[in-house]
Amino acid sequence: MPWLLVVVAGLLETGFAVCLKLSHGFTRLWPTIAFAAFALGSFGLLTLALKKLDVGPAYAVWTGIGAAGTAIYGMIFLGDVVSTLKLVSISLVIVGVIGLQLSGSAH
């Protein structure tokens, strides 16, 4: 269950990062409100998960999901540049997070 919280928190991190861009420096109301909601949800779920998990692997999974998710969302929906190097780099982040998770202790 704690890992499910980390995964959902990572997806919410993607949401708050995207909304941060869409808020244009907190000058647009609804993206700013969405940013705050996603951020609170993400940090809240991560906080709950950290009661049962080691901080290093949990934080790595959370940030990895957020970073990869944000980059992928940007390429698909926001017109960010898609390149082979970017796709390989996202894959390496995902592989690194999986490796860190596999190397940690089981709970």
Side-chain angles (χ1 to χ4, degrees):
M1 186 63 166
W3 282 112
L4 178 61
L5 295 177
V6 172
V7 170
V8 174
L11 295 172
L12 292 174
E13 184 189 0
T14 297
F16 83 67
V18 170
C19 288
L20 186 60
K21 175 172 178 59
L22 297 176
S23 77
H24 290 271
F26 300 124
T27 61
R28 294 185 174 165
L29 179 62
W30 292 114
T32 299
I33 291 170
F35 160 79
F38 282 127
L40 287 171
S42 181
F43 286 116
L45 292 177
L46 181 62
T47 299
L48 292 174
L50 288 176
K51 290 181 178 182
K52 304 269 184 181
L53 300 174
D54 292 339
V55 69
Y59 184 75
V61 170
W62 178 70
T63 57
I65 291 169
T70 302
I72 292 166
Y73 186 94
M75 288 185 285
I76 294 172
F77 298 107
L78 300 177
D80 290 356
V81 175
V82 179
S83 69
T84 301
L85 182 57
K86 189 179 280 189
L87 296 174
V88 168
S89 298
I90 291 168
S91 299
L92 289 172
V93 167
I94 293 168
V95 169
V97 165
I98 291 169
L100 186 57
Q101 166 56 24
L102 293 175
S103 71
S105 60
H107 287 279

